[in-house]
Amino acid sequence: MLIIGIAGGTGSGKTTVVHQIMNELPQTEVGIISQDSYYKQTNDLSYEERSKINFDHPRAIDFELIVEHLKDLKAGKAIDQPVYSFVQHNRTGDTIHTLPRKVMIVEGILILTNPDLRDMFDIKIFVHADSDERLIRRLKRDIAERGRDMEEVLNRYQTTLKPMHEQFIEPTKAFADIIIPNDKYNTVAIDVVRAVINQRIS
């Protein structure tokens, strides 16, 4: 099994890169694990307390469970990925049954911050985008998909997202094997990744 980690700041276009890679591969051979599914369970907290959690800090992520799930997949066992609700700030109790595939893509802003998880990646990718562009994308997404208002998103960006990006996410670029610029010129980088994948799974 080939395990690929795709990191990058919020709104950097990781999801687009994931789709660009997956589009060229047989669906039956590629699986995906999203860091966003693995925020820690917070049943013991009230909604108000949960909404104050810093979701851009590595301690918000259940890295142990991601590592355990990847080990299971590598051993040929299926896993049940948790389902996370950004509206409730908690896991829903539902799961997604995920079968082992020849290629597993793990994507998320903080996945390269954890040494145990990092060691499991055969290819580490960092998607780079301009910070203004990332803010605009984040604004659009949080307002449209997560029920936030503009003031809330901007406030969170200034107090949490930006400092966390500078402290935890940007430095992990140093661990990347490939840095993909998220613009119209990224086709060469995507082609390189696809070539490596095809070589490994053919």
Side-chain angles (χ1 to χ4, degrees):
M1 177 187 288
L2 184 73
I3 303 177
I4 301 170
I6 301 182
T10 184
S12 61
K14 290 182 302 302
T15 310
T16 308
V17 168
V18 169
H19 289 313
Q20 284 174 304
I21 293 169
M22 289 179 77
N23 284 347
E24 299 295 311
L25 298 164
Q27 267 187 335
T28 52
E29 294 186 346
V30 190
I32 190 156
I33 286 183
S34 172
Q35 168 209 288
D36 287 357
S37 303
Y38 289 84
Y39 282 108
K40 286 176 180 166
Q41 206 146 11
T42 50
N43 294 345
D44 53 328
L45 302 177
S46 68
Y47 177 78
E48 279 67 33
E49 289 170 319
R50 292 202 299 266
S51 64
K52 292 189 178 84
I53 292 170
N54 179 355
F55 291 100
D56 296 275
H57 192 289
R59 65 173 169 249
I61 312 290
D62 191 345
F63 284 114
E64 284 177 17
L65 186 59
I66 304 180
V67 169
E68 187 187 311
H69 277 177
L70 281 177
K71 284 179 176 167
D72 284 345
L73 288 165
K74 237 178 162 162
K77 297 179 210 162
I79 60 159
D80 291 307
Q81 286 191 61
V83 174
Y84 194 86
S85 162
F86 283 97
V87 178
Q88 295 303 318
H89 302 298
N90 203 358
R91 290 186 193 170
T92 62
D94 295 327
T95 55
I96 298 169
H97 196 62
T98 308
L99 299 169
R101 300 278 192 238
K102 280 188 178 176
V103 179
M104 289 305 299
I105 295 175
V106 182
E107 64 89 21
I109 60 172
L110 294 161
I111 58 168
L112 294 180
T113 62
N114 182 275
D116 295 334
L117 184 55
R118 218 166 43 227
D119 286 347
M120 296 199 73
F121 298 142
D122 299 294
I123 306 171
K124 295 179 284 295
I125 296 170
F126 190 97
V127 183
H128 170 80
D130 177 77
S131 55
D132 293 347
E133 207 165 297
R134 288 192 294 102
L135 170 59
I136 291 164
R137 283 203 197 108
R138 177 71 183 234
L139 265 173
K140 285 179 177 169
R141 186 188 68 190
D142 279 9
I143 291 167
E145 295 173 25
R146 296 182 180 175
R148 314 269 196 263
D149 63 43
M150 187 188 268
E151 199 171 327
E152 186 187 354
V153 180
L154 286 173
N155 185 31
R156 196 170 187 123
Y157 183 83
Q158 285 169 318
T159 56
T160 311
L161 288 173
K162 193 169 187 287
M164 291 300 101
H165 180 85
E166 287 165 4
Q167 188 178 347
F168 294 111
I169 299 163
E170 193 66 23
T172 64
K173 202 186 264 187
F175 299 116
D177 303 307
I178 300 170
I179 295 172
I180 297 183
N182 184 29
D183 54 31
K184 57 184 179 292
Y185 306 112
N186 72 2
T187 47
V188 173
I190 299 286
D191 287 344
V192 168
V193 175
R194 281 198 202 124
V196 172
I197 294 169
N198 285 321
Q199 196 180 353
R200 293 289 290 266
I201 64 174
S202 55

